[in-house]
Amino acid sequence: MIESFGVSDPGCVRTNNEDYFLLLPSAGLYVVADGMGGAQAGEHASRLAVETLRDTIQAVTPPTSPDDLLDAFAKANQRVMKEADADLSMEGMGTTLVAAVENDGDLFIASGGDSRAYLFENGKLQAITEDQTWVNEVGRRLGLDEETLKIHPMRHVLTMAIGVSGQLRVNHYLIHPTPGAQILLCSDGLHGVAPDERIGEVLAASGSLETKCQKLVELARELGGPDNITAVILKAA
């Protein structure tokens, strides 16, 4: 069994929240999305993608398999693209997506874009997912150093997201968390602002998952909160 809690906050700069998350323990599904697009398009894209994952997984006969989650990502991509094509006000909308499904104590994790999954286990924090961004997939391979990448004009550019291309690339991972291990799903409003060391300190501290989620939001806000902030924490039993 998995214990879970999540929270989302608009941050200190934006008035709207384009992030969206879902906790669905009955299906073993946990999701974070970070929408993008003009007007209300980003909010619509993130909600639409998450709801498509929910509906697809709920329609599957348990237990959920890795292929079921990948199929749900494909359907979310198609649905967001279809609605963007049908409504000019939604043109250009898309969303990142990171999701975990539980299957007999294991967690299958899939991601598109730069929302992340972390594993905190045995006192150590490590990223599970790899960002689909220009910085990670192009800049680092060109040998650019981290200080240059932090100020590079392409630093915020995604190389993949849900709803922007029919050629969807989904990264996926299988982990076997030990009892007590914590898995953090979050948008870049947290990981793009707060250093991993500070995130790890929050997860290492005593307290409920609700308290830790709130502290992660407070941490990002203390560091300026330039973007929407979403944190979902899962704890393996």
Side-chain angles (χ1 to χ4, degrees):
M1 292 294 293
I2 292 282
E3 180 185 355
S4 64
F5 195 85
V7 65
S8 190
D9 186 273
C12 301
V13 176
R14 301 189 177 186
T15 57
N16 64 324
N17 192 346
E18 296 182 328
D19 287 3
Y20 193 72
F21 75 91
L22 172 73
L23 309 177
L24 191 63
S26 61
L29 176 66
Y30 309 90
V31 191
V32 168
D34 179 358
M36 55 191 180
Q40 304 301 309
E43 295 175 38
H44 185 62
S46 59
R47 179 184 291 269
L48 186 63
V50 172
E51 290 178 348
T52 303
L53 252 67
R54 178 200 64 198
D55 295 346
T56 303
I57 295 301
Q58 284 186 316
V60 172
T61 301
T64 305
S65 73
D67 286 342
D68 294 328
L69 185 57
L70 294 177
D71 179 57
F73 266 65
K75 289 180 177 177
N77 189 57
Q78 294 165 3
R79 190 173 178 193
V80 174
M81 289 183 66
K82 183 178 180 180
E83 293 220 7
D85 288 341
D87 186 344
L88 287 178
S89 69
M90 298 294 170
E91 185 178 4
M93 74 174 177
T95 183
T96 70
L97 202 56
V98 60
V101 289
E102 181 185 8
N103 187 337
D104 195 26
D106 293 337
L107 276 177
F108 183 72
I109 295 172
S111 67
D114 66 349
S115 288
R116 288 183 185 174
Y118 288 91
L119 174 66
F120 185 79
E121 194 172 42
N122 299 320
K124 296 181 180 180
L125 181 73
Q126 65 181 70
I128 300 169
T129 54
E130 297 179 9
D131 295 346
Q132 290 176 312
T133 60
W134 185 93
V135 163
N136 193 51
E137 296 188 341
V138 180
R140 289 197 175 98
R141 294 178 185 178
L142 290 173
L144 299 180
D145 62 74
E146 293 303 311
E147 290 306 312
T148 299
L149 292 173
K150 286 179 182 179
I151 59 173
H152 198 282
M154 297 285 282
R155 66 188 180 279
H156 298 301
V157 174
L158 297 176
T159 53
M160 185 55 58
I162 301 298
V164 301
S165 171
Q167 302 299 314
L168 180 66
R169 291 185 294 113
V170 180
N171 292 336
H172 49 90
Y173 317 82
L174 182 66
I175 65 170
H176 313 278
T178 58
Q182 298 172 74
I183 296 86
L184 170 66
L185 308 179
C186 64
S187 62
D188 69 339
L190 175 61
H191 74 73
V193 176
D196 285 2
E197 180 182 355
R198 298 287 301 277
I199 293 174
E201 288 172 357
V202 173
L203 296 177
S206 59
S208 66
L209 298 189
E210 178 179 1
T211 296
K212 292 180 181 184
C213 282
Q214 295 291 354
K215 286 185 176 180
L216 288 171
V217 168
E218 291 169 8
L219 172 61
R221 289 181 64 91
E222 287 169 5
L223 294 171
D227 201 352
N228 304 148
I229 310 155
T230 300
V232 166
I233 303 177
L234 315 178
K235 185 175 181 180

